Amino acid sequence: MKSTWSVFLATILATLLSGCSSFQHRDQLASFNSAYVSGDYTSALKAMSFSESDKKPVDSREHLLELLHQGEMYRLTGRYGESVKAYDLAEEGMKYLDSEGLLTSATEGLLAVMVNDSARDYEALMSEAVLVNTYKGLAFLAAGNTEYARVEFNRADDRTRRAVDYFRKEIAEQQAVLKREAQSGNQKASMVRSSLGDSRFQSAVDNQYGATSSWSVFPEFIVPSSTYLHGIYFLANAADGADYERAVTSLSRVAQMSPGSRVLQSDADLATDLASGRQSLKELPPQVWILYENGLGPVLRESRLDVPLFIVRGTQQAPAYVGLALPEYTDRSALPGGLGVVGATGLVVQTERIADMGKVIRTEMKERFPGILSRAVASAISKAVLQSEAADQFGPWGQLFAAAYSVATTQADLRSWQALPDHWEALRVDRPESGSMTLLDNRGEVLGELEIPHQAFTLVYVKRPTLNAPATVITMDLQGKTEATLRRMPE
């Protein structure tokens, strides 16, 4: 009886903590988005602030989600040093699997089962980790630090290459743990394995989500914008044949992912020609790349469904329909059209869509979904068993309390990095001899005039989340010899 009361007290505490934390995160993200969509990045940054102590280092694991948002808001307001500092802490917070103790890991796992995934510290997607290195590379480049920019673009590329092995090992470890626990006599693990392997369960999930095999994904994990920037950075900064090969490999890979893209193929061809010597660098006119982050990236919503789970009652195992709450990504909005650039001849050239954030996330979620589903099933089974035990110990009132607890804690984890774009667009043009370039918005109206410095390779980076927000335009030297200029258009 004493142990049962301990379970009830623990579940009450867990419920209160989970509820407070969940509402706090949702309010925080709502405040951030309210400011972000209007281009008020100062207020958006304030919404993601947290108290810090002079005596203690920042808990980067606990505050990972805030740090991701802070890093981007600092970068979009030209505070590149502070952006790098926030992103450095965020990257530290992503390395928790390498450093945390078994006790911490076990505690988080228990909370996820007895409460829900939102009770755990935020776990970044691999694509978010890749973009952290990419955005750090851009921040260093804007600050005129090409040495550190090179390091970050290489880290982003390395994360991309290692991602496939990471996902494979993650799934294998999850399956091995379930199998080992089930074989050792762990009844809950046996119930989870039986439920996940049941055709009726899979059918119920597929009816809601669609079979993962039919999701629109890349054939392998890639964040095209990061791989693209890695390619053009090394094209502009090639010190030897190995650097040119890096550029060729990255730009060719992105072009292969979007075989109909003229912009991507043109850049891959340029890298190949420079690497082979068919194109002389001295005879190449100064080049200008425009990279445009358009719109608001996907966010999570909760999807509830009833599925048959195998529950053991006494010596009998029978299917029972239990409710699950699962996260599901949904698109937000993008700005219509693209950016127009008026060249030296007066002709308007349009940016071309090169990658969708939604497709990047679906590619990763296809690999992660089995783990999310397993934790949700384990949580539902644990709560169903708790209801049965509460009924045995305390009768109808105990069962009612346990049922209320189950309903209150069956929630999907809806946290995500909200400052990512819907998609990326790109364009490459020769630098106008006048040095002046006109940017046009989606309606063909003048967004602003840009002065392009006389340098070999220029990157014009544009980010605009909505039509209500001005575009942030950062003009930087791709070779990192000078500091960038930042403007908001229209001013």
Side-chain angles (χ1 to χ4, degrees):
M1 180 71 75
K2 185 177 180 181
S3 62
T4 305
W5 273 110
S6 298
V7 171
F8 272 107
L9 290 174
T11 55
I12 291 171
L13 179 61
T15 303
L16 292 173
L17 291 174
S18 171
C20 292
S21 176
S22 178
F23 282 120
Q24 180 183 359
H25 283 130
R26 294 187 188 195
D27 287 346
Q28 185 181 38
L29 290 174
S31 297
F32 172 85
N33 275 310
S34 178
Y36 180 64
V37 298
S38 65
D40 183 359
Y41 300 147
T42 301
S43 296
L45 181 61
K46 186 177 180 181
M48 284 295 166
S49 63
F50 54 86
S51 58
E52 298 182 49
S53 171
D54 293 334
K55 299 179 180 179
K56 294 182 180 180
V58 173
D59 187 335
S60 57
R61 178 80 196 281
E62 179 184 351
H63 295 294
L64 173 56
L65 193 61
E66 290 99 327
L67 290 166
L68 289 172
H69 289 87
Q70 286 181 15
E72 191 60 359
M73 294 308 97
Y74 282 132
R75 192 175 71 88
L76 294 178
T77 51
R79 298 155 72 177
Y80 304 120
E82 290 168 282
S83 175
V84 167
K85 181 180 177 181
Y87 277 140
D88 277 342
L89 286 169
E91 192 171 12
E92 178 185 290
M94 294 177 192
K95 295 177 180 177
Y96 62 92
L97 289 175
D98 299 328
S99 58
E100 72 177 0
L102 292 176
L103 179 61
T104 305
S105 179
T107 301
E108 283 231 323
L110 174 64
L111 283 174
V113 169
M114 290 307 298
V115 186
N116 53 63
D117 268 1
S118 62
R120 313 166 83 195
D121 287 330
Y122 180 70
E123 293 188 14
L125 296 175
M126 181 64 78
S127 52
E128 292 174 341
V130 170
L131 283 167
V132 162
N133 290 123
T134 300
Y135 287 152
K136 282 171 68 179
L138 288 172
F140 280 126
L141 205 58
N145 189 335
T146 189
E147 181 182 353
Y148 283 9
R150 171 183 285 255
V151 171
E152 295 302 331
F153 287 129
N154 271 332
R155 283 178 176 171
D157 187 58
D158 187 53
R159 283 188 190 275
T160 302
R161 287 189 291 103
R162 289 189 289 109
V164 175
D165 287 337
Y166 174 84
F167 294 138
R168 188 181 298 116
K169 290 177 182 178
E170 185 181 45
I171 294 170
E173 288 173 3
Q174 290 167 352
Q175 293 172 340
V177 168
L178 266 181
K179 182 178 180 179
R180 185 168 60 249
E181 290 294 315
Q183 289 175 341
S184 67
N186 186 315
Q187 194 175 63
K188 289 181 183 178
S190 296
M191 287 188 277
V192 172
R193 287 194 79 201
S194 297
S195 298
L196 291 171
D198 182 59
S199 60
R200 288 168 294 179
F201 171 81
Q202 288 296 335
S203 178
V205 174
D206 289 350
N207 286 339
Q208 176 69 32
Y209 278 84
T212 55
S213 61
S214 67
W215 291 5
S216 176
V217 299
F218 290 115
E220 57 180 303
F221 177 80
I222 185 175
V223 184
S225 60
S226 295
T227 303
Y228 181 70
L229 279 165
H230 176 269
I232 64 173
Y233 174 83
F234 277 96
L235 185 154
N237 290 275
D240 52 32
D243 282 348
Y244 276 126
E245 284 305 315
R246 289 187 180 95
V248 171
T249 298
S250 289
L251 294 174
S252 297
R253 188 180 183 205
V254 176
Q256 289 165 6
M257 291 289 183
S258 302
S261 171
R262 288 176 295 177
V263 168
L264 296 179
Q265 190 57 56
S266 174
D267 284 339
D269 291 342
L270 175 60
T272 301
D273 289 345
L274 286 169
S276 65
R278 287 194 297 269
Q279 169 69 59
S280 167
L281 189 60
K282 292 182 179 180
E283 295 177 359
L284 181 69
Q287 298 295 291
V288 181
W289 279 268
I290 295 94
L291 184 67
Y292 177 30
E293 289 198 18
N294 180 315
L296 299 168
V299 291
L300 289 163
R301 66 179 179 86
E302 187 172 87
S303 178
R304 287 182 174 261
L305 63 159
D306 290 328
V307 294
L309 301 181
F310 281 88
I311 310 296
V312 174
R313 293 187 176 92
T315 59
Q316 300 294 318
Q317 186 183 64
Y321 275 84
V322 178
L324 296 184
L326 296 170
E328 184 176 5
Y329 275 97
T330 181
D331 291 333
R332 286 192 282 178
S333 60
L335 280 70
L339 286 179
V341 176
V342 181
T345 62
L347 295 176
V348 177
V349 187
Q350 293 285 335
T351 54
E352 180 185 287
R353 192 166 179 148
I354 63 168
D356 293 337
M357 190 66 213
K359 195 168 184 179
V360 171
I361 288 177
R362 285 193 298 274
T363 302
E364 180 164 356
M365 285 300 292
K366 182 179 179 180
E367 304 296 336
R368 288 188 177 272
F369 190 67
I372 294 171
L373 192 59
S374 296
R375 288 196 300 273
V377 169
S379 179
I381 286 176
S382 295
K383 293 167 187 175
V385 170
L386 178 64
Q387 290 183 53
S388 177
E389 292 175 349
D392 291 342
Q393 292 285 339
F394 303 105
W397 284 107
Q399 185 176 18
L400 180 63
F401 172 83
Y405 164 79
S406 178
V407 170
T409 57
T410 301
Q411 299 177 9
D413 184 5
L414 304 183
R415 295 170 294 175
S416 65
W417 191 4
Q418 311 277 297
L420 301 180
D422 176 82
H423 67 271
W424 289 269
E425 301 176 26
L427 174 67
R428 176 170 57 88
V429 296
D430 292 346
R431 176 186 180 272
E433 291 186 7
S434 65
S436 180
M437 180 180 289
T438 304
L439 294 183
L440 306 178
D441 63 16
N442 61 294
R443 295 169 297 184
E445 298 178 358
V446 174
L447 188 64
E449 300 286 341
L450 275 181
E451 290 300 319
I452 306 299
H454 199 295
Q455 55 200 22
F457 301 104
T458 301
L459 174 63
V460 177
Y461 170 91
V462 184
K463 185 162 186 169
R464 192 176 192 185
T466 69
L467 286 173
N468 293 327
T472 299
V473 183
I474 306 174
T475 305
M476 60 191 89
D477 180 1
L478 261 174
Q479 294 181 328
K481 296 177 181 178
T482 59
E483 293 185 10
T485 60
L486 184 149
R487 291 179 57 188
R488 305 253 279 175
M489 297 183 178
E491 294 178 313

